[in-house]
Amino acid sequence: MTDDVKQSDTTVMVVDDVPTNRYAMGAVLRRAGHHVVPVASAGEALSELDVRLRAGALPDVALVDVGLPDMSGFELCRRVKSMPSTAALPVVHFSATAVDTRDRCRGLDAGADAFLSVPAEPREIQAVVHAAVRRARRRTDAEALAHRLTLLSQAVITVQTARCLGELADAAAAGASRLTGTPAVVFVIGPDGEAHHGTSRSRLALSDAGPHQAAARLITRIADRRAGVHTTVVPAPLWPTGLFRPGARDDALLVLASTTEGRAQVCIATPAMAAPQRGAGNCATSQDGPADDRRPIAAFPAERLAQATALAAEPLLMYQAERDIALTLQHSFLPQPHRLPHLPGVDLVVRYVPASRQTEIGGDFYAALPTRDGVLTAVGDVVGHSLEAATVMVEIRHALRAYCVEESDPRALAERLDRMLLHYHPDVTATVCLALLDPGTGRVRIANAGHIPPVILRDGGRADYVRVCGPLLGLALDRPEPVEVVLHREDRLLMVTDGLIETRGIDLTASMEQLRTAAAGAPPGLDALCDTLLGCFGHDREDDIAMLALRLG
């Protein structure tokens, strides 16, 4: 035999109630190099299969005599094929008497793989056994590969929906573990060398970050930024102890993938296998060369998973870089509370809370500026979530600072901002609320461009929105006259962006009423007001939050 079935690895169960027949059949098979398990009845065969099933060592094929004393060979075949644990076992019927077409059809209908008329030539017996085992192994290989490809598709879908690099690495590690049946660790390394890792083990069991850091350094040294997928094995002395299993020293099989652009390097690490599992066949292929029979069957899906993870990492790395730039812009151009300008006659408190790293960057801003007619305050938001929104926010804020050097009227300022946005960013819209406060009289003139109106908290616990509205910036529409209100000594004026209260699926009007109620119940003081509202609304928000509160000094 020269093809893929090695007889020395094949175990044949011979079921025959006649001792001389068992001996003769067994002798033929042993001379061909097979291991033989002789049994004398159907009941003994079922018991033997049960024992071997618990031991994980089912025979490769069963030769079953049709005329058994306790049940027919046909019925024995039906029982074997009806049990999921033994359904894949090839069954070959043989008989010296039941040899007509009807008997052969009964055997095939019962689930048998072949029918052998005895006496038969030794070569025929060997060929029938060989063919049955070959078909079964190939069927098992195909089913195993199909199962792993199903797991691969599920893992790729999970990887593609990851929202950040840490979530991506965890998803890939969980998928690799299901594919290989072993612990898995995944590293995603950006172009700057920063590594994000995920593991299939519980993070509670991995309090020590040292092994992961050591592994990331090692992978960075050996990683090849060429596009494609390749594998390598790191010997146990070089691989951190306990990374796969507590206290265990394992050789590590590394599957490394890099995209064409080379920004993302992904490494899927699993314990290396010394020898292939049965059924590996030649399904494991590599982009860099032919199949290697020493690799496990899961190597091919693991390579595809590594490649899919690298492709998914590209936009996440680009987004992270974009977000870092946008956050730097926001933090650079939004003054921190201790750097606000001195505003005589006004007490002022501001808050700025960026959204979580899993959400997109926004264009929220605030401003507090001294003018010739009083103190100008503004809170606004550029529509959209992108680096462009953050840069437009910076332009609006700087334009406002420049305009109010010579102009302080809120309506005129809103008109100028509208024209600026139309001229330089015709496809962008923004909201802004502008309030000009005269500290000497408490008189406040307010213009609104599509923003949430300010809330005035009167002494005694009453809170009301200022009835002021107007179209968004960037639409070239006429703007109404500012609304004028008067602040008394104990009154507070609150201006916020919609990131504080906007919740998907909830009407903004209802959220605004919740904000008004919470503000009315807040303790006295500007800091207490802002902290109370952030405590009520500022958890797990999907947008940035800008907040400004003031009162007469």
Side-chain angles (χ1 to χ4, degrees), residues 137-206:
R137 288 188 179 176
R138 288 180 176 174
R139 182 169 61 247
T140 301
D141 291 351
E143 291 171 354
L145 182 58
H147 176 64
R148 283 172 170 80
L149 291 177
T150 299
L151 293 177
L152 172 63
S153 65
Q154 294 170 347
V156 169
I157 291 173
T158 305
V159 159
Q160 290 175 338
T161 56
R163 298 170 298 172
C164 64
L165 292 170
E167 190 174 303
L168 173 68
D170 280 336
S177 180
R178 286 192 292 269
L179 283 171
T180 62
T182 66
V185 181
V186 171
F187 294 86
V188 180
I189 303 173
D192 57 356
E194 182 182 3
H196 302 263
H197 77 269
T199 178
S200 61
R201 291 169 55 194
S202 170
R203 290 196 175 274
L204 296 177
L206 301 172

Side-chain angles (χ1 to χ4, degrees), residues 143 197-198 336 344 391 418 455 485 519:
E143 291 171 354
H197 77 269
Q336 300 304 307
T391 55
D418 184 61
V455 179
V485 296

Side-chain angles (χ1 to χ4, degrees), residues 309-355:
T309 304
L311 291 172
E314 285 276 346
L316 291 176
L317 284 166
M318 294 175 64
Y319 167 71
Q320 178 174 285
E322 180 180 288
R323 179 176 176 80
D324 289 343
I325 294 171
L327 283 175
T328 301
L329 279 171
Q330 286 183 313
H331 293 161
S332 298
F333 292 105
L334 288 177
Q336 300 304 307
H338 64 277
R339 298 178 58 189
L340 287 171
H342 177 62
L343 303 171
V346 176
D347 291 338
L348 182 72
V349 167
V350 295
R351 295 284 192 273
Y352 177 77
V353 181

Side-chain angles (χ1 to χ4, degrees), residues 5 35 50 63 85 91 121-122 265 284-285 379 384 403 418 431 459 466 478 490 505 538 551 553:
V5 176
H35 303 294
D50 185 58
L63 293 181
S85 55
V91 175
E121 288 291 329
Q265 178 78 50
T285 59
V379 169
Y403 294 153
D418 184 61
T431 69
D459 187 22
V466 179
D478 291 336
E490 299 301 325
R551 67 182 177 190

Side-chain angles (χ1 to χ4, degrees), residues 393-435:
M393 174 274 292
V394 173
E395 291 185 44
I396 291 177
R397 190 173 178 279
H398 278 284
L400 182 63
R401 288 168 60 90
Y403 294 153
C404 74
V405 171
E406 296 184 353
E407 177 63 72
S408 60
D409 179 66
R411 177 189 179 187
L413 291 171
E415 290 174 341
R416 289 192 179 189
L417 292 175
D418 184 61
R419 291 196 297 271
M420 184 276 291
L421 203 59
L422 280 167
H423 183 78
Y424 291 107
H425 303 282
D427 297 327
V428 177
T429 57
T431 69
V432 68
C433 185
L434 301 163

Side-chain angles (χ1 to χ4, degrees), residues 39-275:
V39 295
S41 66
E44 186 179 338
L46 293 174
S47 298
E48 181 69 21
L49 288 177
D50 185 58
V51 171
R52 287 179 167 270
L53 181 62
R54 289 197 295 269
L58 282 175
D60 295 282
V61 63
L63 293 181
V64 179
D65 181 21
V66 170
L68 297 174
D70 50 348
M71 76 175 67
S72 71
F74 302 134
E75 180 60 26
L76 174 59
C77 180
R78 285 193 188 92
R79 293 199 182 186
V80 169
K81 295 295 185 178
S82 67
M83 296 184 292
S85 55
T86 57
L89 175 66
V91 175
V92 176
H93 283 136
F94 67 89
S95 178
T97 57
V99 294
D100 61 19
T101 302
R102 184 179 60 181
D103 295 320
R104 293 176 181 273
C105 290
R106 285 185 64 193
L108 295 174
D109 289 342
D113 295 80
F115 197 103
L116 183 65
S117 297
V118 293
E121 288 291 329
R123 291 180 57 187
E124 183 182 0
I125 296 173
Q126 295 169 18
V128 170
V129 169
H130 179 82
V133 173
R134 182 179 61 232
R135 285 195 301 270
R137 288 188 179 176
R138 288 180 176 174
R139 182 169 61 247
T140 301
D141 291 351
E143 291 171 354
L145 182 58
H147 176 64
R148 283 172 170 80
L149 291 177
T150 299
L151 293 177
L152 172 63
S153 65
Q154 294 170 347
V156 169
I157 291 173
T158 305
V159 159
Q160 290 175 338
T161 56
R163 298 170 298 172
C164 64
L165 292 170
E167 190 174 303
L168 173 68
D170 280 336
S177 180
R178 286 192 292 269
L179 283 171
T180 62
T182 66
V185 181
V186 171
F187 294 86
V188 180
I189 303 173
D192 57 356
E194 182 182 3
H196 302 263
H197 77 269
T199 178
S200 61
R201 291 169 55 194
S202 170
R203 290 196 175 274
L204 296 177
L206 301 172
S207 56
D208 184 8
H212 291 102
Q213 294 171 355
R217 289 193 295 268
L218 176 62
I219 292 167
T220 302
R221 287 199 298 271
I222 66 176
D224 189 345
R225 287 284 175 180
R226 58 181 171 160
V229 184
H230 59 284
T231 61
T232 188
V233 175
V234 177
L238 300 179
W239 188 252
T241 299
L243 194 60
F244 297 130
R245 296 169 293 182
R249 293 172 64 87
D250 296 287
D251 294 342
L253 173 66
L254 306 186
V255 181
L256 299 139
S258 182
T259 56
T260 304
E261 292 78 8
R263 282 188 291 266
Q265 178 78 50
V266 168
C267 174
I268 296 179
T270 56
M273 297 180 64

